Amino acid sequence: MNYRHKAAVDVATRSIIAAVVRPKTPRRRRRGAQARPGLICAQRSTGRATKAVDASLLLAQALVPAPMRPGFSPLAHASASHLPYDELVAADARFAQAAGRPVIVPDLIVIDHGTVFAGRTFFDACAWLGISIRPARRRTPTDKPRASYCASLG
């Protein structure tokens, strides 16, 4: 099965702060789009990749503490990290059961021109949080080289 992914990369620390992996699903046929008799039709192998909700999910993952999962080492707990654990638990009770991953609120997000960012949900969420959005230039991977590098790994 083919997979697609989106990632949020913190430029200051060069770390992936959120990621979404989604299996590529086949497109559905619209009603009335039946194959016409007498025409030769090739099977299309393209499909849907990441969806518009995935951009908002990336933002949500970056803004909330990551929970400890079964099988995580106790060293991965937030209390064992260099984060100010007592202050974090006082600010948000979810940090008591959180993994040692920082919560990052970005000032600026550079986006590509994918269909993931075509809807208003992501833009409205960023506006409400006070996050600026800057679109990358078309066909210029140097505008977001860290994200392009992450994409090349998959």
Side-chain angles (χ1 to χ4, degrees), residues 6-153:
K6 286 286 181 188
V9 180
D10 180 29
V11 176
T13 61
R14 294 184 175 159
S15 59
I16 298 173
I17 57 173
V20 174
V21 178
R22 179 180 294 278
K24 192 172 179 182
T25 57
R27 292 180 188 255
R28 292 187 205 161
R29 288 193 134 180
R30 294 182 186 152
R31 290 184 186 200
Q34 306 288 330
R36 293 184 187 152
L39 294 177
I40 299 173
C41 299
Q43 194 80 4
R44 289 179 55 164
S45 62
T46 61
R48 297 180 188 268
T50 49
K51 301 182 184 317
V53 72
D54 294 338
S56 298
L57 181 59
L58 281 174
L59 188 59
Q61 284 182 5
L63 297 174
V64 298
M68 286 290 289
R69 306 266 186 215
F72 274 17
S73 168
L75 296 174
H77 194 269
S79 62
S81 71
H82 294 291
L83 299 171
Y85 180 71
D86 296 327
E87 295 173 25
L88 292 172
V89 171
D92 191 347
R94 293 179 288 182
F95 277 102
Q97 299 299 322
R101 180 185 69 103
V103 173
I104 297 175
V105 180
D107 293 327
L108 172 71
I109 297 176
V110 179
I111 62 171
D112 58 13
H113 295 275
T115 57
V116 173
F117 303 108
R120 293 296 317 162
T121 306
F122 181 74
F123 292 100
D124 291 343
C126 288
W128 189 77
L129 293 167
I131 300 170
S132 301
I133 297 175
R134 187 182 80 202
R137 293 175 290 173
R138 290 189 185 273
R139 304 198 189 284
T140 310
T142 54
D143 282 359
K144 45 183 187 46
R146 287 156 195 88
S148 296
Y149 173 75
C150 291
S152 70
L153 297 176

